[in-house]
Amino acid sequence: MIAPDLRFPIGEFHFDGDTAPARRAERIAAIASTPRAVRAAVGGLDEVQLDTPYRNGGWTVRQVVHHLPDSHLNAYTRFKLTLTEPEPVIRPYFEDRWAETPEARTAAPDVSLRLLDALHERWVILLQSISSEQFTRRLIHPERNATMSLDELLALYAWHGPHHVAQITALRERMDWNRTE
């Protein structure tokens, strides 16, 4: 039996090219539900559990929680840039270094959960207002050395939230933290 890849408990991201309106709506719903899913995934964890890496060499649960608004703020900005500029070049960032900043290592998860709530509320309003034609707009991603459509970016972030939630929930299961006394 092959051991699961703890980095990618729901599998690595692959864009299937499906840009049907119903598929977009599913992806927007996934983004809308991310804050609630993250909150549920970390609910009831104590400080020691929050500071446990989800895998050897990986981020702690706390760092994963703080990573989500860091990443999704960048994503929201990338959507706005692509909607307002012709094929913008987005700015990559060193997410691994961001996860090592003092507040990402020590702040209470609720700080980022509140930010995620507000950010996703606004982001979903934006996403629901984008036309099919606008979803074809493209950005240049220098880190990937490629252009991406907003459809592909939408799919990436619809995967991204559940990906990190699954890292936390898989750790909870492995550590038997879901057991009620």
Side-chain angles (χ1 to χ4, degrees):
M1 183 175 169
I2 297 173
D5 186 343
L6 300 179
R7 293 173 306 156
F8 301 104
I10 64 169
E12 293 188 56
F13 171 72
H14 297 288
F15 181 50
D16 62 9
D18 187 348
T19 62
R23 190 67 179 113
R24 281 189 193 121
E26 289 172 8
R27 290 174 176 145
I28 292 169
I31 289 170
S33 69
T34 293
R36 185 175 55 255
V38 177
R39 199 174 289 281
V42 300
L45 295 181
D46 63 32
E47 292 297 309
V48 171
Q49 292 167 329
L50 289 168
D51 291 328
T52 301
Y54 76 91
R55 66 174 176 86
N56 287 337
W59 291 338
T60 66
V61 171
R62 184 184 313 271
Q63 286 172 300
V64 170
V65 171
H66 293 311
H67 161 72
L68 283 160
D70 288 346
S71 174
H72 294 187
L73 278 165
N74 276 284
Y76 174 76
T77 301
R78 291 168 180 178
F79 270 88
K80 296 279 278 196
L81 288 169
T82 306
L83 289 168
T84 61
E85 298 177 15
E87 208 165 272
V89 177
I90 57 124
R91 187 178 189 289
Y93 69 103
F94 295 104
E95 63 184 37
D96 56 332
R97 294 180 191 174
W98 284 39
E100 294 298 328
T101 59
E103 91 293 355
R105 295 188 62 76
T106 63
D110 197 54
V111 172
S112 281
L113 292 171
R114 289 191 317 265
L115 177 56
L116 205 61
D117 286 337
L119 171 61
H120 278 240
E121 184 176 354
R122 180 139 178 222
W123 192 11
V124 167
I125 292 168
L126 174 68
L127 292 171
Q128 290 173 334
S129 74
I130 297 174
S131 69
S132 290
E133 182 181 324
Q134 288 173 310
F135 269 110
T136 67
R137 293 182 63 101
R138 302 188 70 76
L139 58 87
I140 298 168
H141 197 307
E143 213 171 29
R144 293 176 179 227
N145 196 26
T147 62
M148 296 175 70
S149 69
L150 287 183
D151 267 313
E152 186 173 359
L153 200 63
L154 176 67
L156 174 62
Y157 285 94
W159 167 87
H160 188 253
H163 157 71
H164 286 300
V165 168
Q167 288 173 335
I168 297 167
T169 57
L171 173 65
R172 287 183 76 126
E173 286 191 23
R174 288 192 313 278
M175 301 297 284
D176 200 22
W177 291 344
N178 295 326
R179 189 171 39 118
T180 55
E181 302 298 328

